[in-house]
Amino acid sequence: RSLVAFSVCDNSSVLIYMFAIGISQSMSLIISVYYQEEDYSGVEYVVKKALKIALVSSIALVLIFTLIPQTALTLYSVPDQAAMPVVNALRIFMLSFVGVAVTFLFTFYAQAIKRNKLSLSTSIIEGFIAPIGLLFILTALIGSNGIWISFVGAEIEIGRAVQQEC
């Protein structure tokens, strides 16, 4: 059942990646031009618009998968006997989607303004270090729900770092 839950959560994350990467790549191209032209008001405008789009799309996905998780269960053909642990995992894991969207925006933004080391370190921390570190800690403290909460915690932690950087 845990493997089914992880599979559904992992495959569902592809949906947010499609939105986040599309928004981020589009934004970064425009920001690069504005930044090189030293049009910082243009940069700010594009970032705000991209952030609004990313937040709306990620919140919409969170609501869909949280309020009607049967959508994901049907999409991935989850058998009824495995449904409850998957729904629980999905509802917790989906909360990380908002953070994923914002982190992608920040990573691409940092790259567009030629802060490549910051972009790389953000990606490594968000995608590897924070979730794995939190996974071990939270699983030991609270059990299997710690697996799903670790993804949410990683996004919260990277969000703090991004906020300090901005």
Side-chain angles (χ1 to χ4, degrees), residues 85-149:
V86 174
V87 167
N88 182 47
L90 195 58
R91 285 185 169 148
I92 297 169
F93 181 79
M94 291 299 124
L95 297 175
S96 70
F97 276 15
V98 176
V100 167
V102 173
T103 301
F104 267 81
L105 281 178
F106 180 76
T107 302
F108 279 74
Y109 169 77
Q111 197 170 26
I113 63 168
K114 304 204 184 309
R115 299 208 42 211
N116 294 333
K117 289 180 183 177
L118 180 60
S119 177
L120 178 63
S121 63
T122 301
S123 293
I124 291 171
I125 292 168
E126 185 261 346
F128 183 69
I129 295 172
I132 290 177
L134 287 171
L135 174 76
F136 286 113
I137 294 166
L138 293 175
T139 303
L141 291 175
I142 59 176
S144 63
N145 279 341
I147 296 168
W148 316 114
I149 295 170

Side-chain angles (χ1 to χ4, degrees), residues 12-145:
S12 296
S13 66
V14 170
L15 296 172
I16 193 61
Y17 292 147
M18 287 188 315
F19 283 102
I21 290 172
I23 295 163
S24 299
Q25 284 182 335
S26 300
M27 175 201 71
S28 70
L29 295 172
I30 298 166
I31 285 178
S32 280
V33 172
Y34 281 145
Y35 188 77
Q36 287 176 351
E37 296 294 321
E38 297 180 5
D39 181 358
Y40 302 116
S41 64
V43 169
E44 184 179 343
Y45 175 80
V46 172
V47 168
K48 285 181 179 179
K49 284 291 184 183
L51 184 59
K52 284 179 186 175
I53 294 167
L55 288 174
V56 167
S57 61
S58 61
I59 290 170
L61 285 171
V62 169
L63 289 174
I64 289 168
F65 282 100
T66 302
L67 298 176
I68 48 174
Q70 295 79 13
T71 305
L73 300 180
T74 303
L75 187 64
Y76 300 114
S77 302
V78 175
D80 288 340
Q81 66 270 19
M84 200 55 208
V86 174
V87 167
N88 182 47
L90 195 58
R91 285 185 169 148
I92 297 169
F93 181 79
M94 291 299 124
L95 297 175
S96 70
F97 276 15
V98 176
V100 167
V102 173
T103 301
F104 267 81
L105 281 178
F106 180 76
T107 302
F108 279 74
Y109 169 77
Q111 197 170 26
I113 63 168
K114 304 204 184 309
R115 299 208 42 211
N116 294 333
K117 289 180 183 177
L118 180 60
S119 177
L120 178 63
S121 63
T122 301
S123 293
I124 291 171
I125 292 168
E126 185 261 346
F128 183 69
I129 295 172
I132 290 177
L134 287 171
L135 174 76
F136 286 113
I137 294 166
L138 293 175
T139 303
L141 291 175
I142 59 176
S144 63
N145 279 341

